[in-house]
Amino acid sequence: MRLTGPLPSFRPARFRLPGSRRGRRMFAGSVLAAFGAVSAVVQFVGQLFPGAVSRPGPVLAGSVALCLAWGLARSRPQSAVRQEFGRPGMTVVVEEGDLFDRPGHLVVGFTDTFDTLVDDGVVINDGSVQGQLLARRYAGDARRLDAALSAALDGVAPVTRESERDKPRGKRDRYPIGTVAALGNRPQLVFAVAYSRMGNDCVASSSVHDLWFGLDRLWDAVRRHAQLERVTMPLTGAGLARLHDLDENSLLRLILLSFVTHSWERMVCRELRVVVRPGELGRIDLPETGAFLAGLAAGARRHV
């Protein structure tokens, strides 16, 4: 069932770093729970075998060490979550890593002008996902990437064209938000999705509505071209698109919700991987993400 009407609201989650208050609470709670359990066992054993705990010092030291180890193990930050969906048969993974090291098809966010110029760092930042696409998939050859984009966009009419005076740098044809250009060949297609607007000052901006609409068109394109194969994408919207309405947690939930609800209507792919940069992982609550995915999986079962 595809969602229509008003977009769901997302309450931004509290900013958290590794070793945050949540992690410290989990550590303290795990240590106390383990200490209570160990104390109960020691008292029980002491009643049955009085001589077994005749030297309380080593027993206490061992108990404390065991409880601390348990607390550390329980509070260790996660680096990935994985959720299997029975209906439709698919897997969703959220993990830390290098987006371009992952196999399968790739999603890269673009602006409505599909700009590619990174030479001066003004139009496209070379550290962005789009800049990395140019460097690592096209060996820095912007002409080759532009040719691939032109071929993929053939037949898509621009909605307007900026004048050279208004937009002196970069491309000037503007395509509709939600336009998707499928580049390359299977099994490593690149789905270039326009979800933000490039200002004439070369500052990109987007909104929750634009991202949601772009994702909707993205899943349609993936279903048409990817033949249900694995798709990998970044935390789209977390970079230089200036989508400030959502923090990383809420942005991730929006992407996952869009994918799952679209898949309820018609299967998109067998596996979606959202690969988060190490610098972004500290701002994402992976246990909450796992619970959110589990809730979506339960909802998918009820939907069927």
Side-chain angles (χ1 to χ4, degrees), residues 129-265:
V129 174
Q130 190 179 331
Q132 290 297 300
L133 170 70
L134 175 62
R136 298 177 65 175
R137 287 286 180 92
Y138 290 86
D141 189 345
R143 290 185 179 180
R144 187 157 66 93
L145 176 56
D146 285 336
L149 286 167
S150 295
L153 294 171
D154 186 36
V156 181
V159 292
T160 187
R161 178 175 175 82
E162 299 290 347
S163 67
E164 183 177 358
R165 184 189 65 181
D166 291 339
K167 191 175 186 292
R169 297 187 180 189
K171 299 178 182 179
R172 300 185 179 92
D173 284 338
R174 293 193 180 277
Y175 292 86
I177 292 294
T179 300
V180 180
L183 313 178
N185 301 292
R186 295 181 50 253
Q188 288 190 315
L189 290 169
V190 174
F191 291 95
V193 53
Y195 75 97
S196 61
R197 184 183 187 279
M198 176 66 81
N200 289 342
D201 57 357
C202 295
V203 176
S205 61
S206 188
S207 67
V208 176
H209 181 273
D210 288 344
L211 177 59
W212 182 267
F213 188 76
L215 290 170
D216 186 73
R217 294 297 183 266
L218 169 66
W219 308 135
D220 285 338
V222 169
R223 187 172 58 235
R224 287 196 305 272
H225 299 286
Q227 297 191 12
L228 302 182
E229 296 165 338
R230 175 189 292 176
V231 174
T232 302
M233 68 182 297
L235 189 59
T236 304
L240 297 176
R242 277 90 177 169
L243 208 163
H244 299 310
D245 296 335
L246 303 178
D247 68 356
E248 284 82 354
N249 279 296
S250 301
L251 182 60
L252 178 57
R253 288 196 290 270
L254 185 145
I255 292 171
L256 298 175
L257 179 62
S258 173
F259 173 74
V260 172
T261 55
H262 207 100
S263 298
W264 286 351
E265 179 180 346

Side-chain angles (χ1 to χ4, degrees), residues 8-74:
S9 61
F10 291 85
R11 184 175 58 187
R14 185 171 298 175
F15 180 86
R16 297 189 181 98
L17 294 171
S20 63
R21 184 181 304 172
R22 176 188 175 88
R24 291 192 293 270
R25 285 202 305 266
M26 182 177 293
F27 171 75
S30 299
V31 169
L32 291 174
F35 192 77
V38 170
S39 298
V41 171
V42 169
Q43 290 179 10
F44 180 73
V45 171
Q47 291 177 358
L48 293 180
F49 308 99
V53 290
S54 57
R55 300 177 62 188
V59 173
L60 178 61
S63 300
V64 171
L66 181 62
C67 295
L68 290 174
W70 174 253
L72 288 172
R74 289 278 294 169

